[in-house]
Amino acid sequence: MAPAYKLTYFDGCGVAETSRFLINYGGIDFEDVRIKQEDWPQWKPKTPFGVVPLLEHNGKQVGQSIAIARYLAKKVKLAGNDDWEDLEIDAVVNTVQDLYQKLVPIFSEKDESKKKTLIETAQKESLPYYLSRFEERVKKNKGYLALGRLTWADFYFATMSPMFDLLTGGDNLAKYANLKGLREKVNGLPAIKKWIEARPKTPF
């Protein structure tokens, strides 16, 4: 019998890894479809809006990484218990996304001099601004980013923060013990640890 869910993304962690973490945490059977970069031109026209990841279930197909992760979080009981709790989680997730979007231009910049300037700006401004505030949140929330307990916001941070390092070439959590501890805590969950050990080794 085919898995109930199919998750399609590039052959890397990227913005699909939060959903892969959630799926594995919940023990959900799924097909992990990975697109090679050279095959993307053939895949792109088949997607609703020309982007991945895509989640398929019961013949239906949906895109957008955060929307997919939010849906899966509800399935595995890592969402809020009411609308306000969901709002708190969403606010954290969207703020992590804000930081990521500030760093994305580093990836696309081809001029090495300009890229170096972007990295320096990120390390001096964007990263300290956001990470220091996330650090305080974790300190005040019993070791988590929201609600004083494990939520999908913690999974989102644990899977997105390695890309901060990849883009800037530094260990950006080195000065933030609580954030580093949070990522280690998520990665150390039995189901997540098993997934990390088994997943394909990729550059990103």
Side-chain angles (χ1 to χ4, degrees):
M1 191 173 185
Y5 289 90
K6 180 190 290 187
L7 185 66
T8 301
Y9 188 62
F10 298 113
D11 188 18
C13 295
V15 297
E17 198 64 8
T18 307
S19 292
R20 295 190 186 114
F21 268 37
L22 290 164
I23 286 170
N24 281 278
Y25 176 82
I28 298 171
D29 190 25
F30 82 114
E31 183 180 354
D32 185 23
V33 180
R34 291 171 179 255
I35 306 169
K36 295 187 181 300
Q37 289 290 342
E38 60 267 27
D39 296 332
W40 176 235
Q42 288 75 47
W43 273 87
K44 190 173 182 178
K46 302 174 186 176
T47 65
F49 290 96
V51 294
V52 285
L54 294 173
L55 184 69
E56 295 179 56
H57 180 59
N58 290 339
K60 298 176 181 178
Q61 187 184 70
V62 175
Q64 291 299 329
S65 59
I66 291 178
I68 293 169
R70 185 183 296 111
Y71 165 82
L72 292 168
K74 292 176 182 177
K75 288 287 183 185
V76 303
K77 301 189 182 340
L78 285 180
N81 293 322
D82 56 41
D83 290 342
W84 186 265
E85 288 194 351
D86 280 330
L87 175 62
E88 286 193 40
I89 294 170
D90 284 351
V92 171
V93 168
N94 290 342
T95 307
V96 175
Q97 174 70 359
D98 285 346
L99 173 55
Y100 174 64
Q101 289 299 329
K102 288 182 180 296
L103 302 180
V104 167
I106 295 171
F107 175 75
S108 55
E109 182 55 63
K110 304 302 180 186
D111 184 291
E112 288 303 316
S113 177
K114 291 179 181 177
K115 185 188 287 277
K116 183 181 178 182
T117 300
L118 288 173
I119 291 172
E120 289 174 352
T121 300
Q123 290 175 331
K124 291 177 181 177
E125 298 176 14
S126 302
L127 286 160
Y129 179 86
Y130 284 93
L131 294 179
S132 62
R133 285 159 174 77
F134 288 141
E135 174 80 357
E136 286 304 309
R137 284 193 65 92
V138 173
K139 195 181 296 184
K140 293 176 181 176
N141 277 281
K142 302 177 183 177
Y144 300 99
L145 279 165
L147 310 182
R149 63 176 173 84
L150 184 68
T151 70
W152 72 279
D154 303 309
F155 278 41
Y156 190 72
F157 182 83
T159 54
M160 294 297 286
S161 56
M163 288 196 284
F164 305 162
D165 296 347
L166 183 66
L167 289 165
T168 62
D171 180 5
N172 292 294
L173 299 192
K175 297 187 293 184
Y176 304 99
N178 289 284
L179 286 177
K180 193 169 186 177
L182 172 62
R183 186 164 71 184
E184 290 172 352
K185 186 160 42 182
V186 171
N187 290 347
L189 293 166
I192 302 304
K193 184 179 179 182
K194 183 178 178 182
W195 166 249
I196 291 172
E197 291 170 351
R199 71 188 178 188
K201 302 298 182 283
T202 58
F204 71 96

